Amino acid sequence: MKATAAAHANIALVKYWGKRDEALLLPEAGSLSVALDKLLTTTTVELGDFAADSFTLDGHPEDPCRARALLDAAGIRKRARIASGNDFPTAAGLASSSSGFAALAVAACAAAGLRKSADELSALARIGSGSASRSVPGGWAVWEDAFARQVFAPSHWDLRFCIAVCAAGPKQVGSRDGMRATRETSPYHAAFIAQCRRDLPDALKLLAARDLPGLGALAERNALRMHADALAADPPLLYWQPATVACLLALLELRASGVAAWATIDAGPHLVAICASSDAGAVEGRLRSVPGVTEVVVCAPAGAARVLS
Ligand code: DP6
């Protein structure tokens, strides 16, 4: 009744920002992501006759409510002791619900002795957090409906993803509340969703062709449009810090000097630069020199969530 699993966080190149079903966590539009090797979460689940569920993240107690929703969806009635740890090089605010709920879904089903398919595990992870559905298959993954699927293996394309950790500001609005507020109040939201529906098939073609300028530029446009949508919410959602903008400008300069790198940004201040592995050193060095950037983590594509023991 005890198992440990690991999963990588993922970064979306076509973003999920809006639900068509709030209870089932189904997205309004499909999204595309890649799993990141350096962002690994390891989770141990023990099932038993405990007084209550408990959940610790890096040793700190957290609310087990979303984890319980996932366990209920799996048909696991026993109480759970969940211990999760992020294996990140720094404690710099890179914690991600994508790796956390993917590792939880895999560990919980293993602990309960449930034999689930990869598609079923992805659908369970989705109940914890939509983006977690993509961390179960890992690699280059597409999520449109109940579960996500790997569309290309991590080895398909040896790109690098340089995460510039931008000084954390005052506590921001999380993805769940942020995307709900955007959907309800942003006049640009329908346009953003329509754009995502066009971006996904285009991105898949560019990914198949390993077209870095094409996919990089598409991912950057998609992310900036997501932020334009969020900025247009009422009240506005501004996720960026000064260092985020400085990193965007640094990438413009890099491109002007012949180094091909494009940005994506989730619902937070950190910027992820997408580039060829041969350019990763130059991109990392430039981002490290940006005032306000406290750390740069260079990641390669990673694989699926897995049971460790
Ligand atoms: C900006 O998956 O964290 O990272 O489904 O409400 O838990 P919930 O949201 P979550 O949102 C991720 C938003 C994003 C874009 C993405 O990963 O596609």
Side-chain angles (χ1 to χ4, degrees), residues 10 12 14-17 19 25 31 66 97 128-132 134 175-176 179 226 266-267:
N10 67 74
V14 175
K15 303 289 187 195
Y16 148 55
W17 194 249
K19 295 176 181 66
L25 283 80
S31 54
R66 275 163 82 168
S97 58
S129 201
S131 56
R134 299 184 308 235
S175 293
R176 176 132 334 160
M179 72 174 82
M226 184 195 95
D266 274 346

Side-chain angles (χ1 to χ4, degrees), residues 164-167 240-249 269 271 287 290-294:
V165 177
C166 296
W240 299 356
Q241 289 292 314
T244 318
V245 179
C247 286
L248 280 170
L249 296 173
L271 177 142
L287 292 175
V290 171
V293 171
T294 55

